Amino acid sequence: MIPVFQFRMVVDTPPTVAQAVALVGLPDTPGVEVAPEEQVGVVWFDRAAPRLATAIVSATHDLERVGLRPIRVETRDPVTIPEAAARLARPEEWFRAWLTGTFGEPGAPMPVSMRPAGRERFFSWDDIEVWTRERLDPALPDGPPVLTAAALVLRLRRVGRGVDGLPELLDLVGVRS
């Protein structure tokens, strides 16, 4: 099963109605909102991809195709157990059993709020990710470093145009694919 990554991308201008309609027409039907106080837009994605980096790159290209420029990427937090299971590409009931105690796992994350959304409680995604990596899957891919790197790349795309010596500066990164 391909994991579904939930994240939001902040774009530099509020989307027009035409841009919002184009985005909502994508297969994963991202949510679009306007933050008038900040003069930016926010697009929420639930994107299936093998890795978080792949999901962010494809979302960036989709935003640019409709004329929006992403300036920031953030995870969606808090999450419900079904959302966390989907992000981790695990069956919901298996994950629920670990998280809520059927398997009696000590140290499992606690809900961040006791007010349920329907029957579901909310958990911190960061807590779930760390706990899952420590207890269930040490090879769990993609964590906050991916988001940090994506944010830096998006910033470099904005400020790097026309920088004299950019290729030399990029050598400082020391990362080669």
Side-chain angles (χ1 to χ4, degrees):
M1 179 162 52
I2 295 177
V4 175
F5 296 99
Q6 297 173 318
F7 56 94
R8 67 186 208 153
M9 296 190 81
V10 178
V11 294
D12 65 344
T13 59
T16 65
V17 171
Q19 289 168 325
V21 168
L23 288 170
V24 172
L26 293 172
D28 57 353
T29 318
V32 180
E33 66 182 80
V34 175
E37 65 283 354
E38 298 176 46
Q39 288 300 305
V40 297
V42 178
V43 182
W44 295 89
F45 289 92
D46 292 340
R47 180 121 328 168
R51 294 188 321 266
L52 177 55
T54 306
I56 291 169
V57 169
S58 69
T60 297
H61 292 309
D62 285 342
L63 290 169
E64 290 173 341
R65 270 192 281 284
V66 301
L68 295 169
R69 194 170 76 176
I71 57 173
R72 198 166 61 243
V73 61
E74 302 165 346
T75 59
R76 191 184 265 182
D77 196 69
V79 296
T80 61
I81 290 175
E83 290 170 331
R87 285 188 194 187
L88 297 168
R90 301 285 196 275
E92 180 183 330
E93 290 311 314
W94 176 88
F95 193 70
R96 184 181 302 282
W98 278 101
L99 195 57
T100 60
T102 303
F103 293 132
E105 182 64 23
M110 299 298 293
V112 293
S113 170
M114 296 310 286
R115 285 192 303 181
R119 292 178 12 160
E120 294 294 336
R121 293 193 223 162
F122 288 100
F123 294 81
S124 164
W125 170 246
D126 290 337
D127 291 348
I128 286 176
E129 187 178 41
V130 168
W131 176 78
T132 301
R133 187 174 283 112
E134 289 174 355
R135 302 282 191 189
L136 305 174
D137 189 355
L140 182 67
D142 299 318
V146 171
L147 291 172
T148 301
L152 291 170
V153 168
L154 289 172
R155 181 162 173 74
L156 182 60
R157 290 180 83 207
R158 285 194 326 273
V159 301
R161 299 187 205 303
V163 170
D164 185 37
L166 186 60
E168 291 87 355
L169 291 172
L170 290 175
D171 280 339
L172 290 174
V173 176
V175 177
R176 299 284 182 231
S177 48

